[in-house]
Amino acid sequence: MTVPLDRRLESAPGPLFAPMGLALPLRVEQTGRDAFDTDPALASFTLRSARAALEADAMAAGFDHAGVPSEATLALTRRLADEIGGDATVLGTLPAPAAPGGAGTVEDAARRTTAAVEGLCGAGAGALVMLEAAEDPDPAPFRGFDAAFNLAAYYQVPVLYLARHAQAPGVLDAARAAGARWAVGPGDADGAVASVPLDLFDGDGAAASAWAAGLPRGVRLYVSSWEIPAGKPVEAVAAVRRALCA
């Protein structure tokens, strides 16, 4: 298992950087998604190489905001934890609680999420990122996910609630009350974590420095606010990392 993210933040000499998603790593290494999903060695090489190019301090083996991690993702998480866990945090990603649709009840979703937490923590994830894709999510389902958050706490693995869109305070408060260590939307900061808006990756780092200057003191981790698109220049992403973590 990698060092839990909160402990890594305490001991790191400076702020850390976590670019989210697979789109850019796949493009950097010219790896097809089918090959990534079926060749564990190639998938691990792709993420390790992208981590070096992006100067990332944390990487996730998957990015699925609609479904729980597959067995292949869990196996890749375990492999990455063995290969890079001493130097970087391996993140696990899973869907955030949401009002039930055609896929079942809140109770069904909570059971799937609890199983995903068990799998990701058992595979060595050093933090869990709950991905919220909805623009206006219902905070009520959080109340049914106690088992999932309690299991993460048992493993001493912190949970970050990451919203793709700006959220009302009530949603972020519900995430924290349920057990998320941090809860952020684009441009938000919550304690040690700040969510970097994707448009900041279009520049050379100067805009990112100006944005960071307006954040509260104490930020130790900068995470991209959502999956970084494949078209973003690698050099620009690395420049933002250097500007934020200098």
Side-chain angles (χ1 to χ4, degrees), residues 51-125:
R51 174 185 167 253
L54 299 171
E55 302 181 24
D57 301 294
M59 294 288 286
F63 190 85
D64 189 348
H65 55 81
V68 296
S70 65
E71 289 300 321
T73 299
L74 294 176
L76 180 55
T77 299
R78 187 174 295 107
R79 183 170 186 142
L80 286 174
D82 290 340
E83 293 175 346
I84 68 171
D87 302 313
T89 297
V90 178
L91 307 173
T93 60
L94 65 165
T105 65
V106 170
E107 290 77 13
D108 292 334
R111 282 192 290 270
R112 290 193 297 270
T113 300
T114 301
V117 170
E118 177 76 51
L120 288 166
C121 291

Side-chain angles (χ1 to χ4, degrees), residues 11 17 20 27 32 52 62 71 102 124 170 181 207 223 242:
S11 61
F17 175 61
M20 297 300 300
R27 197 265 294 170
E71 289 300 321
R181 179 71 176 271
V223 57
R242 290 190 291 271

Side-chain angles (χ1 to χ4, degrees), residues 65 95-100 106 130-143 145 161-175 183-186 188 226:
H65 55 81
V106 170
M130 280 191 158
L131 300 169
E132 179 62 84
E135 290 189 36
D136 186 22
D138 181 0
F142 276 106
R143 294 193 293 270
F145 281 66
Y161 175 81
L162 184 67
R164 183 174 190 175
H165 306 282
Q167 298 295 334
V171 173
L172 301 180
D173 289 344
V184 291
D188 293 342
W226 203 248

